[in-house]
Amino acid sequence: MGRIALRNIRKSFQAVDVIHGIELEIDEGELVVFVGPSGCGKSTLLRLIAGLDKPTSGRIEIDGQDVTQTGAADRGLAMVFQSYALYPHMTVRQNLSFGLENQRMPRQEIATRVDAAARMLEIGELLERRPTQLSGGQRQRVAIGRAIVRNPTAFLLDEPLSNLDAELRGTMRAELSALHARLETTMIYVTHDQVEAMTLADRIVVLRKGRIEQVDTPLNLYNRPQNLFVAGFIGAPNMNFFHAEASDGLVRLPGGAEIPIAHEGPVTLGLRPQHLRPSARR
Amino acid sequence: MKAVGRFLFRKRGHGGAWHWTDVVTWIWLILGTIIMFGPALWLVSSSFKGPAQLAEFPPTLLPYVQEVANVEGHDTPLPLYMVTMEDGSTRVMAEIRRIGTSAQMVDPADPQERVSVPLVDRQPLREVGLALNNYVDPFLAFDFMRYLGNSVFVTVAATLLTLLTNSMAAYALSKYRFRGRDAVMLLIVATLMVPLSVILVPLYSVVSSVGLLNSLWGVILPTIATPTGVFLLRQYMLTIPDELIEAARMDHASEWQIYWRIVLPLAAPALAVLTIFSVVWRWNDFLWPLIVLSRRELYTLQIGLNTYAGELNVQWHYILAMTVVTMIPVVLVFIFLQRFITTGIAGAGIK
Amino acid sequence: MARFGETVGRVAALPLVLIARALDPLLRLWQRWTGTGGMIAFFLLPNMAIFGVFVIIPLVLNVVYSLTGGIDILLKDRPFIGFDQYGRLLECQDYLQPTTCREDQFWTAVRNTALFVFFQVSLMVCVSMITALILNRKIAGRGFFRAVFFFPVLLSPVVVGLIWRWILQRQGLMNLIVTNLGFDPVVWLNDRFYAFSAAVGVSTWAHMGFYTLILLAGLQAIPRDLYEAAEMDATPASRVFWRITLPLLGPNLAVVLVLALIRGVQIFDEAYVLTGGGPGTSTLFITQYIYEVGFASFLRNPGLAAAASILMGLVLVVLTLVQLGLSKRAEKERAR
């Protein structure tokens, strides 16, 4: 439950190609983070998975079934929108129940689920309030709650923390992580903040201009970036780059250090600030 | 091309399926276009038909004019008909006159031979043509030229005055703070509650006592202080930064100059919207001019049209043509300026 | 094209510019004498003077008129008769039966107007609502269709009345369609029921575009991601409308309803040209009654007309106050 596969997904808007041939497999229960600079297509990709937009070509599979032509309503996924998209004229309880009522669930069961989610997210006292009477953090929890009550195959979160202040963001990050551990459901999380990505993800998908740059665990992305972009994107402060020449299997640095390398010609050397240490020697 | 098709027929359904909302949408839009434009188009088409053709039932889609031909030996061109002869063949013949239930007709090529043809055996020969007389006669023979002139005068004068007075009041209400401001605003709002029909009788009496009865100025003056216009302009002027005005004051500009050379030009978009509204309102005014004007030569197009249409024997071919003429300025406004109107209303209408 | 318009504008504005420039020294003097206050008065004066002379004074006079009798239009020639006119208007054995009233025409007009408002406003708001919902969708040529529905709003009531009078002639387009559908031709404007229905229909046709635009603006204020959230929640289209769109559109809709009511009560122009109040008095509405009793008919009675117009004015004041209240609430909702 919760295996998602993207096969050769392409998306164009009018004449502009936004996503170029994405292949991806997400395992059951994984927390996968899509990260990248703005405009890289991460939100678009999320919406394609959700079913809110259709890919121009390619296949989307959920648990082995081709859902490319299925509507968003029938994919069994739940989405937490960046703006939360809470119904302003309904109480929190009504917001949480709305989707379940569409499925003609008996009232008792709806109430049970709503109360369980409210307990999990500690919004039990807010159930009779309206979204406009809630703080940003509270609204965010209601948005998550709305997704939880549906018992979805997977959660899709579109930059859920970007509207919160820094302090709250840290707290919520920890809570989301705990939530994921507890629910054990697949989560696909979109963010532009690589710190969030690094702390939350089981695996990170680094995207740039509609293409996957690398998919790997956070640690591997940090220690074994496959290209310049990933190397420069992951890690704060950023990696420092130098141009150097490699000859005879060695790269010579000013100051005498030599690094063996199986390459000839111009190279770009990357050095993380974390790996620099002050030294007494000249 | 396929992309265009997909764009045009975007549907709520998935995988190219027609959701019921899509069907309803397209039916509604197509039906709506026919119902909204159709009557006006029918008016135009009918206005080009001669009186005889207008009396026909079922009516034809296009205006037709009967073909005529010059026949030797006759001074005026004779109308042509398609005649079914006794032997079953059909011939084109010209009609000289009608006698009872038959017509005296000749073959245009052989004008000497006159044949008597029963009316039922002949069909008028027609081609698409415009009865332009419908448009020309009212201007020449009736007073429609004058009515047109009156309408134009009223519309232009009223619009200019409306723009001037409304913008002055809006300027005072938006850029100055003074003690009676809220009271004035309230007063203007109150006038919104007083439509013409409520003050018809006393307004007539007031206009009469200032001597403006039966004059175009009596039509114009009561209409120029529109609350909608004041609000519209005020709303827009509020967005003009006060710093501009303060800078101008420091440059020794008089208040009048500030209004005239800074605020008014900057308010041009709102003025444009009000111009369009005012032109349409004044051109279309009916009840008030109906009451104020009793001298025929002062009638506006609307009143003149209504008067002729209210006669016992309505000459529809003229009425229809003049209706089209009355419709033209508004159609022009619509074609060229409708975007301003729709955005103007969406903004002001919510207020 | 824009260039040409610009030059024409500039040339046309020239005399105005010269006048304005000439006025400046005079107004500077005025400003020096009277200060800013004087200038404020100057700016307000033309507009407020027109309001005062042509709206406020008549409003006050109207009350006075309604307390006088006789057929003269000039106030000084009219005798004071107190509330007689009102008494006359309101004298009825059975308010629901106009023929039992002393001023049966008045009550006929009131009944006709009430029925008209009920049917026309309901019809028009429904039609406008549906059209606005449809125009809110992402379809090609949205701007075109928006203009299509707005077209009749611009036409003058005389034009509207005449177009439809022509179509509803016994030998007109409408009967052509009707006979082609297999029915008998209808005498539209000479039958009491059909003439009334025609008035309702024509009035709806002529004005729905305006209200469609207002509703459309309200619909567009609803954030799109609410609809997407509803889509993720597998909400069927009808539920989206009743549980999300309609409640959020509520304040806007209320404003539209009241605006339509206010305009509906004042119905005159296009109905008058279409049917002239007939056949008989089946399409006689209150404004026409006031017009005829005040000016046009043989037995005119300006005092009676004034009294009738004041009664109508009271109804309108109530409606307008309701509308202003609802407008304010709509703005507050949006600001939240």
Side-chain angles (χ1 to χ4, degrees):
Chain A
M1 271 283 287
R3 285 185 339 269
I4 299 182
L6 302 175
R7 308 243 182 263
N8 207 2
I9 296 288
R10 270 176 225 284
K11 178 70 182 165
S12 330
F13 288 109
Q14 254 84 300
V16 182
D17 292 337
V18 178
I19 310 250
H20 312 273
I22 297 235
E23 291 271 341
L24 185 62
E25 278 190 31
I26 299 176
D27 280 332
E28 190 178 331
E30 261 198 296
L31 204 177
V32 173
V33 176
F34 292 173
V35 77
S38 56
C40 66
K42 52 193 191 296
S43 282
T44 313
L45 205 56
L46 194 74
R47 288 170 62 89
L48 291 177
I49 298 176
L52 295 171
D53 286 327
K54 290 251 159 316
T56 314
S57 70
R59 264 192 2 254
I60 302 175
E61 290 170 8
I62 300 183
D63 289 328
Q65 280 198 323
D66 187 341
V67 297
T68 325
Q69 299 305 324
T70 329
D74 303 316
R75 291 193 188 187
L77 303 170
M79 182 140 160
V80 178
F81 291 82
Q82 187 173 1
S83 64
Y84 315 138
L86 300 177
Y87 307 119
H89 58 294
M90 299 188 199
T91 63
V92 169
R93 182 185 287 279
Q94 287 170 327
N95 263 281
L96 296 176
S97 319
F98 190 72
L100 301 178
E101 286 165 7
N102 290 338
Q103 294 173 24
R104 320 248 163 161
M105 205 174 278
R107 283 231 305 231
Q108 192 49 49
E109 193 179 337
I110 296 181
T112 317
R113 286 210 198 181
V114 168
D115 289 327
R119 238 173 301 129
M120 206 188 300
L121 295 165
E122 292 174 8
I123 49 174
E125 319 166 315
L126 308 174
L127 283 175
E128 301 310 322
R129 294 210 208 155
R130 297 254 162 112
T132 44
Q133 298 165 308
L134 303 176
S135 72
Q138 291 169 328
R139 282 186 217 177
Q140 214 246 12
R141 280 186 230 216
V142 176
I144 297 176
R146 187 167 65 177
I148 289 182
V149 294
R150 304 210 329 142
N151 265 356
T153 315
F155 288 97
L156 307 173
L157 302 105
D158 190 355
E159 304 212 38
L161 305 183
S162 59
N163 287 343
L164 302 174
D165 62 62
E167 187 185 328
L168 207 48
R169 228 180 285 161
T171 324
M172 285 308 301
R173 222 164 50 215
E175 285 198 32
L176 279 174
S177 201
L179 201 62
H180 175 245
R182 184 167 167 182
L183 294 173
E184 295 176 353
T185 314
T186 312
M187 271 194 198
I188 304 181
Y189 189 108
V190 164
T191 180
H192 60 273
D193 183 342
Q194 47 120 347
V195 174
E196 258 173 48
M198 296 292 281
T199 51
L200 281 176
D202 292 333
R203 273 197 305 160
I204 299 180
V205 178
V206 181
L207 291 157
R208 181 166 76 125
K209 296 201 184 144
R211 289 193 167 81
I212 295 185
E213 295 287 337
Q214 189 174 350
V215 181
D216 218 329
T217 65
L219 219 50
N220 281 349
L221 281 180
Y222 186 80
N223 290 326
R224 276 181 254 288
Q226 277 169 15
N227 55 50
L228 224 52
F229 174 74
V230 176
F233 187 78
I234 301 286
N238 299 36
M239 184 184 276
N240 301 298
F241 291 119
F242 309 95
H243 294 292
E245 277 289 323
S247 53
D248 306 324
L250 287 174
V251 176
R252 278 187 194 81
L253 295 176
E258 289 174 346
I259 303 175
I261 182 167
H263 184 84
E264 288 292 310
V267 293
T268 307
L269 209 58
L271 195 56
R272 290 206 187 274
Q274 290 84 356
H275 296 152
L276 290 171
R277 263 191 305 276
S279 162
R281 256 187 323 140
R282 285 208 87 244
Chain B
M1 190 60 211
K2 209 162 144 216
V4 172
R6 232 179 303 135
F7 176 73
L8 279 177
F9 293 106
R10 256 179 303 195
K11 308 182 192 84
R12 197 174 191 263
H14 291 282
W18 284 88
H19 194 259
W20 68 267
T21 53
D22 300 311
V23 176
V24 169
T25 298
W26 281 103
I27 292 181
W28 190 269
L29 289 178
I30 293 179
L31 221 63
T33 310
I34 296 177
I35 296 179
M36 294 289 135
F37 279 157
L41 292 175
W42 179 247
L43 172 77
V44 174
S45 158
S46 303
S47 70
F48 284 114
K49 295 181 183 173
Q53 209 202 341
L54 284 179
E56 280 176 19
F57 187 81
T60 57
L61 197 59
L62 294 174
Y64 289 103
V65 155
Q66 186 154 14
E67 287 189 44
V68 291
N70 277 311
V71 178
E72 244 185 86
H74 298 272
D75 300 321
T76 56
L78 300 178
L80 294 175
Y81 289 81
M82 188 66 96
V83 178
T84 321
M85 314 297 295
E86 284 123 20
D87 56 6
S89 67
T90 53
R91 267 167 68 187
V92 172
M93 303 192 83
E95 172 180 292
I96 303 177
R97 67 177 73 87
R98 250 170 53 174
I99 311 170
T101 55
S102 52
Q104 209 178 56
M105 308 189 77
V106 285
D107 187 333
D110 183 12
Q112 307 311 326
E113 186 191 330
R114 296 187 180 195
V115 181
S116 185
V117 177
L119 289 183
V120 290
D121 286 340
R122 78 201 212 302
Q123 285 280 32
L125 207 59
R126 303 206 288 199
E127 55 179 356
V128 175
L130 309 172
L132 291 174
N133 274 346
N134 293 353
Y135 283 87
V136 172
D137 292 351
F139 284 117
L140 300 182
F142 307 111
D143 288 323
F144 273 91
M145 205 50 158
R146 191 167 240 135
Y147 300 158
L148 182 64
N150 291 338
S151 273
V152 169
F153 176 72
V154 166
T155 303
V156 170
T159 301
L160 287 175
L161 288 174
T162 300
L163 289 176
L164 185 67
T165 59
N166 285 9
S167 63
M168 281 167 65
Y171 173 59
L173 291 172
S174 64
K175 289 302 171 196
Y176 293 101
R177 223 162 269 130
F178 55 96
R179 217 170 31 193
R181 192 165 81 160
D182 289 332
V184 171
M185 292 282 295
L186 208 62
L187 200 61
I188 298 183
V189 167
T191 51
L192 263 177
M193 289 192 240
V194 184
L196 177 62
S197 35
V198 168
I199 47 172
L200 213 52
V201 168
L203 184 59
Y204 180 86
S205 154
V206 166
V207 169
S208 167
S209 45
V210 293
L212 287 177
L213 208 56
N214 240 338
S215 88
L216 288 181
W217 286 106
V219 174
I220 294 173
L221 283 183
T223 63
I224 64 182
T226 63
T228 317
V230 174
F231 281 141
L232 189 74
L233 292 177
R234 173 173 181 269
Q235 206 61 24
Y236 193 83
M237 287 183 186
L238 283 175
T239 67
I240 296 178
D242 292 338
E243 288 90 31
L244 287 178
I245 299 179
E246 286 160 10
R249 281 206 192 110
M250 306 218 39
D251 279 339
H252 296 296
S254 70
E255 299 299 306
W256 172 248
Q257 274 181 325
I258 295 177
Y259 159 76
W260 185 256
R261 307 204 47 199
I262 296 181
V263 175
L264 211 55
L266 285 176
L271 287 173
V273 173
L274 184 57
T275 306
I276 297 172
F277 281 174
S278 176
V279 163
V280 172
W281 287 335
R282 298 292 78 86
W283 184 264
N284 291 349
D285 264 343
F286 180 60
L287 178 55
W288 180 241
L290 183 66
I291 291 181
V292 170
L293 303 171
S294 41
R295 273 166 49 198
R296 270 203 120 120
E297 60 265 21
L298 289 178
Y299 281 178
T300 60
L301 264 181
Q302 313 287 348
I303 309 297
L305 201 53
N306 178 59
T307 308
Y308 277 101
E311 290 176 350
L312 231 39
N313 232 346
V314 178
Q315 298 180 290
W316 276 108
H317 52 296
Y318 291 140
I319 295 294
L320 293 173
M322 289 301 99
T323 307
V324 172
V325 169
T326 312
M327 199 173 77
I328 287 180
V330 154
V331 169
L332 289 177
V333 163
F334 176 72
I335 293 179
F336 291 112
L337 301 169
Q338 58 93 355
R339 212 174 314 131
F340 288 107
I341 309 176
T342 49
T343 45
I345 289 197
I350 309 183
K351 298 286 170 277
Chain C
M1 180 77 199
R3 259 309 200 62
F4 173 70
E6 232 184 272
T7 357
V8 165
R10 218 162 279 179
V11 167
L14 203 57
L16 295 171
V17 171
L18 292 175
I19 297 178
R21 226 173 270 180
L23 282 176
D24 189 42
L26 296 165
L27 290 169
R28 267 189 198 270
L29 218 55
W30 176 256
Q31 188 177 340
R32 185 162 318 149
W33 278 350
T34 61
T36 320
M39 281 312 285
I40 295 176
F42 169 72
F43 283 120
L44 283 176
L45 191 65
N47 210 48
M48 303 315 289
I50 301 273
F51 274 150
V53 171
F54 294 112
V55 180
I56 308 293
I57 291 184
L59 198 56
V60 172
L61 280 185
N62 210 18
V63 180
V64 178
Y65 260 97
S66 66
L67 304 174
T68 64
I71 51 172
D72 287 308
I73 194 68
L74 293 178
L75 206 48
K76 57 180 169 51
D77 301 328
R78 300 177 61 81
F80 180 80
I81 58 173
F83 287 102
D84 276 8
Q85 303 281 26
Y86 290 100
R88 225 171 118 170
L89 278 181
L90 296 173
E91 195 179 311
C92 256
Q93 285 169 345
D94 179 354
Y95 284 105
L96 292 177
Q97 293 274 50
T99 44
T100 65
C101 297
R102 180 153 169 211
E103 289 298 324
D104 55 311
Q105 289 239 328
F106 174 70
W107 288 99
T108 307
V110 167
R111 189 192 62 179
N112 286 345
T113 310
L115 284 174
F116 176 83
V117 164
F118 177 75
F119 286 112
Q120 194 262 357
V121 172
S122 323
L123 177 65
M124 190 167 66
V125 172
C126 284
V127 171
S128 297
M129 181 87 241
I130 298 176
T131 310
L133 286 172
I134 287 179
L135 289 177
N136 197 31
R137 307 185 74 199
K138 277 192 290 221
I139 42 169
R142 203 153 66 147
F144 169 73
F145 286 113
R146 214 168 44 190
V148 163
F149 287 97
F150 190 71
F151 173 65
V153 177
L154 294 176
L155 298 177
S156 85
V158 175
V159 170
V160 168
L162 286 177
I163 286 182
W164 283 99
R165 214 166 106 188
W166 175 243
I167 291 180
L168 294 175
Q169 292 269 297
R170 192 179 305 147
Q171 299 182 317
L173 185 62
M174 199 52 145
N175 272 338
L176 176 64
I177 298 176
V178 161
T179 50
N180 272 346
L181 291 176
F183 299 103
D184 291 324
V186 177
V187 214
W188 294 97
L189 299 176
N190 268 320
D191 173 286
R192 300 179 66 95
F193 172 73
Y194 286 118
F196 189 85
S197 313
V200 170
V202 169
S203 194
T204 303
W205 179 85
H207 296 297
M208 55 123 358
F210 177 74
Y211 299 101
T212 303
L213 283 186
I214 300 183
L215 288 176
L216 186 61
L219 283 176
Q220 288 175 335
I222 301 177
R224 276 254 147 165
D225 56 6
L226 285 186
Y227 290 120
E228 288 184 344
E231 198 181 340
M232 295 297 301
D233 275 340
T235 322
S238 56
R239 196 152 193 256
V240 171
F241 175 70
W242 290 106
R243 294 293 307 273
I244 300 180
T245 309
L246 203 55
L248 288 175
L249 195 62
N252 228 324
L253 192 58
V255 169
V256 161
L257 208 72
V258 178
L259 278 180
L261 283 173
I262 293 175
R263 171 178 270 156
V265 169
Q266 299 170 49
I267 177 75
F268 172 70
D269 305 38
E270 60 253 20
Y272 183 68
V273 174
L274 185 71
T275 60
T281 53
S282 55
T283 57
L284 176 70
F285 299 115
I286 195 74
T287 305
Q288 185 181 341
Y289 172 80
I290 295 174
Y291 165 61
E292 283 184 353
V293 171
F295 300 94
S297 87
F298 215 28
L299 323 109
R300 57 172 186 273
N301 187 340
L304 198 63
S309 65
I310 287 194
L311 290 180
M312 181 174 104
L314 287 175
V315 172
L316 288 177
V317 165
V318 169
L319 286 177
T320 309
L321 286 175
V322 170
Q323 182 241 322
L324 288 175
L326 290 174
S327 255
K328 282 225 160 66
R329 168 131 58 104
E331 259 192 64
K332 255 198 302 167
E333 290 273 333
R334 220 173 315 119
R336 273 213 267 138

